[in-house]
Amino acid sequence: MAFKYYAIKLSLLAILVFLAQALIPNFTELFILDSSSYFQPWRFVTAIFLHAGLAHLIFNLFALLLFGSILENLIGGKKFLLIFFTTGILTNLLAVNFYNSSLGASGAIFGIIGALIIVRPLLTVWTFG
């Protein structure tokens, strides 16, 4: 199992996409998950990397870097990516039926956390707030 820093690479990609959202007019509308997604299936993936604001991005990056790095170190890069994209796409397939539009990596991150709970159920994580 090789640790390839995919959590960091995915985080950097999310930052670049967020910059594109801020700098390119209508960028978000091209890739957001909405009712047209069934006819543009790439949106089930691209919506994972979009974020609604800086706070949304920061909280998702924090969770992705923390929990994603731990999980990737335990199971390897390929399995980590499989979990990230599978849970991200599956949650988007559900979300499109309940929301007018959806974006963000929260579904993929919850998938990472769920996998981490299965792999290391007694892992202690210190939190605050």
Short mmCIF file of all heavy atoms in Angstrom, two decimals, residues 5 16 22-23 25-26 33 47 52 55-57 59 80 91 99 108 111 114-115 117 124 126:
data_model
loop_
_atom_site.label_atom_id
_atom_site.label_comp_id
_atom_site.label_asym_id
_atom_site.label_seq_id
_atom_site.Cartn_x
_atom_site.Cartn_y
_atom_site.Cartn_z
N TYR A 5 -0.25 10.77 -1.04
CA TYR A 5 -0.69 12.13 -0.72
C TYR A 5 -1.89 12.58 -1.55
O TYR A 5 -2.02 13.73 -1.92
CB TYR A 5 0.46 13.14 -0.88
CG TYR A 5 1.64 12.81 -0.01
CD1 TYR A 5 2.73 12.11 -0.52
CD2 TYR A 5 1.67 13.21 1.32
CE1 TYR A 5 3.82 11.80 0.28
CE2 TYR A 5 2.75 12.91 2.13
CZ TYR A 5 3.82 12.21 1.60
OH TYR A 5 4.89 11.91 2.40
N LEU A 16 -7.90 25.11 -6.45
CA LEU A 16 -7.82 25.63 -7.82
C LEU A 16 -9.21 25.83 -8.42
O LEU A 16 -9.47 26.85 -9.08
CB LEU A 16 -6.99 24.70 -8.71
CG LEU A 16 -5.50 24.65 -8.42
CD1 LEU A 16 -4.83 23.58 -9.27
CD2 LEU A 16 -4.86 26.01 -8.65
N ALA A 22 -14.23 31.80 -8.44
CA ALA A 22 -14.18 33.22 -8.07
C ALA A 22 -13.79 34.10 -9.25
O ALA A 22 -14.24 35.25 -9.34
CB ALA A 22 -13.18 33.42 -6.93
N LEU A 23 -13.01 33.57 -10.17
CA LEU A 23 -12.45 34.41 -11.24
C LEU A 23 -13.13 34.28 -12.60
O LEU A 23 -13.05 35.19 -13.42
CB LEU A 23 -10.95 34.11 -11.39
CG LEU A 23 -10.09 34.36 -10.15
CD1 LEU A 23 -8.67 33.87 -10.38
CD2 LEU A 23 -10.10 35.84 -9.78
N PRO A 25 -16.49 33.98 -14.74
CA PRO A 25 -17.95 34.12 -14.68
C PRO A 25 -18.67 32.85 -15.15
O PRO A 25 -18.25 32.21 -16.12
CB PRO A 25 -18.24 35.28 -15.63
CG PRO A 25 -16.95 36.03 -15.74
CD PRO A 25 -15.87 35.00 -15.57
N ASN A 26 -19.71 32.47 -14.44
CA ASN A 26 -20.55 31.31 -14.75
C ASN A 26 -19.83 29.96 -14.68
O ASN A 26 -20.36 28.96 -15.17
CB ASN A 26 -21.22 31.47 -16.12
CG ASN A 26 -22.12 32.68 -16.16
OD1 ASN A 26 -22.84 32.97 -15.21
ND2 ASN A 26 -22.06 33.42 -17.25
N LEU A 33 -24.19 20.51 -9.59
CA LEU A 33 -25.16 19.43 -9.69
C LEU A 33 -26.55 20.03 -9.65
O LEU A 33 -26.92 20.73 -8.70
CB LEU A 33 -24.96 18.48 -8.50
CG LEU A 33 -25.71 17.18 -8.53
CD1 LEU A 33 -25.21 16.29 -9.65
CD2 LEU A 33 -25.55 16.48 -7.19
N ALA A 47 -19.14 18.40 -9.35
CA ALA A 47 -19.76 19.09 -8.22
C ALA A 47 -19.03 18.82 -6.91
O ALA A 47 -19.09 19.62 -5.98
CB ALA A 47 -21.23 18.68 -8.10
N ALA A 52 -19.40 26.51 -2.00
CA ALA A 52 -20.30 27.67 -1.96
C ALA A 52 -19.65 28.91 -1.38
O ALA A 52 -20.16 30.00 -1.57
CB ALA A 52 -21.55 27.32 -1.16
N ALA A 55 -15.66 29.55 3.74
CA ALA A 55 -15.84 28.73 4.95
C ALA A 55 -16.16 27.28 4.58
O ALA A 55 -15.61 26.34 5.17
CB ALA A 55 -16.94 29.31 5.82
N HIS A 56 -17.03 27.09 3.59
CA HIS A 56 -17.37 25.75 3.11
C HIS A 56 -16.11 25.02 2.64
O HIS A 56 -15.87 23.86 2.99
CB HIS A 56 -18.39 25.89 1.98
CG HIS A 56 -18.93 24.60 1.46
ND1 HIS A 56 -19.38 24.48 0.16
CD2 HIS A 56 -19.10 23.38 2.01
CE1 HIS A 56 -19.80 23.24 -0.04
NE2 HIS A 56 -19.64 22.55 1.08
N LEU A 57 -15.29 25.71 1.88
CA LEU A 57 -14.04 25.13 1.37
C LEU A 57 -13.11 24.78 2.53
O LEU A 57 -12.57 23.67 2.58
CB LEU A 57 -13.35 26.11 0.42
CG LEU A 57 -11.98 25.69 -0.11
CD1 LEU A 57 -12.10 24.51 -1.04
CD2 LEU A 57 -11.29 26.85 -0.79
N PHE A 59 -13.68 24.19 5.78
CA PHE A 59 -14.13 23.07 6.60
C PHE A 59 -13.98 21.74 5.87
O PHE A 59 -13.56 20.74 6.46
CB PHE A 59 -15.57 23.27 7.06
CG PHE A 59 -15.70 24.30 8.15
CD1 PHE A 59 -16.53 25.38 7.98
CD2 PHE A 59 -14.99 24.19 9.33
CE1 PHE A 59 -16.66 26.35 8.98
CE2 PHE A 59 -15.11 25.13 10.34
CZ PHE A 59 -15.94 26.22 10.17
N PHE A 80 -8.19 4.57 -1.26
CA PHE A 80 -8.65 5.88 -0.79
C PHE A 80 -9.40 6.62 -1.89
O PHE A 80 -10.50 7.14 -1.68
CB PHE A 80 -7.47 6.71 -0.28
CG PHE A 80 -7.82 8.15 -0.06
CD1 PHE A 80 -8.53 8.54 1.07
CD2 PHE A 80 -7.47 9.12 -0.99
CE1 PHE A 80 -8.87 9.87 1.27
CE2 PHE A 80 -7.80 10.44 -0.80
CZ PHE A 80 -8.51 10.82 0.34
N THR A 91 -23.46 10.00 -3.26
CA THR A 91 -24.22 11.03 -2.54
C THR A 91 -24.77 12.07 -3.51
O THR A 91 -25.87 12.59 -3.29
CB THR A 91 -23.37 11.72 -1.45
OG1 THR A 91 -22.17 12.23 -2.03
CG2 THR A 91 -23.05 10.76 -0.33
N TYR A 99 -32.50 18.22 -3.87
CA TYR A 99 -32.13 19.64 -3.89
C TYR A 99 -32.18 20.18 -5.31
O TYR A 99 -31.91 19.46 -6.27
CB TYR A 99 -30.72 19.83 -3.33
CG TYR A 99 -30.55 19.31 -1.93
CD1 TYR A 99 -29.88 18.11 -1.69
CD2 TYR A 99 -31.07 20.00 -0.85
CE1 TYR A 99 -29.72 17.62 -0.41
CE2 TYR A 99 -30.91 19.52 0.45
CZ TYR A 99 -30.24 18.33 0.66
OH TYR A 99 -30.08 17.85 1.93
N ALA A 108 -18.36 12.89 -0.09
CA ALA A 108 -17.13 12.12 -0.21
C ALA A 108 -16.39 12.09 1.13
O ALA A 108 -15.83 11.06 1.53
CB ALA A 108 -16.22 12.71 -1.29
N GLY A 111 -18.01 9.75 3.44
CA GLY A 111 -17.62 8.41 3.04
C GLY A 111 -16.25 8.04 3.58
O GLY A 111 -16.03 6.91 4.04
N GLY A 114 -16.66 7.44 7.29
CA GLY A 114 -17.31 6.14 7.50
C GLY A 114 -16.34 4.99 7.30
O GLY A 114 -16.31 4.04 8.09
N ALA A 115 -15.52 5.07 6.25
CA ALA A 115 -14.53 4.02 6.01
C ALA A 115 -13.49 3.99 7.12
O ALA A 115 -13.08 2.91 7.56
CB ALA A 115 -13.85 4.25 4.66
N ILE A 117 -13.99 4.81 10.22
CA ILE A 117 -14.64 4.20 11.38
C ILE A 117 -14.62 2.68 11.27
O ILE A 117 -14.41 1.98 12.25
CB ILE A 117 -16.08 4.73 11.53
CG1 ILE A 117 -16.06 6.20 11.97
CG2 ILE A 117 -16.89 3.88 12.49
CD1 ILE A 117 -17.41 6.89 11.88
N THR A 124 -8.96 7.48 18.29
CA THR A 124 -9.32 8.66 19.07
C THR A 124 -9.02 9.90 18.25
O THR A 124 -7.91 10.06 17.73
CB THR A 124 -8.52 8.70 20.39
OG1 THR A 124 -8.81 7.53 21.13
CG2 THR A 124 -8.89 9.92 21.20
N TRP A 126 -9.31 14.04 18.70
CA TRP A 126 -9.59 15.16 19.59
C TRP A 126 -10.22 16.29 18.81
O TRP A 126 -9.72 16.67 17.74
CB TRP A 126 -8.31 15.64 20.27
CG TRP A 126 -7.73 14.61 21.16
CD1 TRP A 126 -6.77 13.69 20.84
CD2 TRP A 126 -8.11 14.34 22.51
NE1 TRP A 126 -6.51 12.87 21.91
CE2 TRP A 126 -7.31 13.26 22.95
CE3 TRP A 126 -9.02 14.91 23.38
CZ2 TRP A 126 -7.42 12.74 24.23
CZ3 TRP A 126 -9.12 14.39 24.66
CH2 TRP A 126 -8.33 13.32 25.08
#
